[in-house]
Amino acid sequence: MRFPAAVALVALGGAAGTYARVVVSLVVPDPALASTLAVNIVGAFALGYLSTRLADGGNGSGRRRRGLRLLFGTGFCGGFTTYSLIALQAATLLQQGEVPVAVAYGAITLAAGAVATLLGIVLASRRRPSGVRAVARS
């Protein structure tokens, strides 16, 4: 895949992911911490699932998988999730003297994201095409 096409896929996916994050922030009621937590957990699950499925091979060509990885993995999931906002929100909480809330928020977000990623990987591994399992067993 040529560089301009790869950049276009990442930009397109990133724009869609960012738009989806804004929609979630409008749908999930305050506090803003809840919407940030929600998008990061959903995004971590999606990235774990997608990465595992694309690594399995399947019917698509290598070029197609690379394109899907750039569009959805790097672009959409990168634009949808916002771990940098967690740092900003935690810093704001710390400045307001809410130390226990800031620490709990950061720790819960990171732990939940890791668990969501693992769940995505496990779920995607169970849904492998039958041909992949047959090759892996032989």
Side-chain angles (χ1 to χ4, degrees):
M1 176 173 298
R2 296 185 184 265
F3 183 74
V7 170
L9 286 174
V10 171
L12 180 64
T18 302
Y19 180 77
R21 177 165 35 100
V22 170
V23 169
V24 170
S25 72
L26 296 175
V27 171
V28 175
D30 280 341
L33 302 178
S35 68
T36 304
L37 182 63
V39 297
N40 285 323
I41 291 172
V42 170
F45 175 84
L47 190 57
Y49 184 88
L50 177 71
S51 297
T52 303
R53 292 293 294 177
L54 291 175
D56 281 347
N59 296 329
S61 69
R63 183 177 173 175
R64 181 175 170 217
R65 284 194 303 273
R66 281 192 300 272
L68 289 172
R69 188 176 299 128
L70 289 172
L71 179 65
F72 292 109
T74 306
F76 185 86
C77 289
F80 186 67
T81 59
T82 175
Y83 279 85
S84 60
L85 184 56
I86 294 168
L88 178 63
Q89 290 172 330
T92 301
L93 289 169
L94 288 173
Q95 288 175 341
Q96 295 170 348
E98 301 285 344
V99 176
V101 176
V103 171
Y105 176 62
I108 289 170
T109 301
L110 293 176
V115 169
T117 301
L118 289 174
L119 288 174
I121 291 169
V122 168
L123 183 63
S125 297
R126 291 181 178 209
R127 300 182 59 112
R128 286 184 175 148
S130 59
V132 172
R133 284 188 180 167
V135 170
R137 289 181 183 163
S138 60

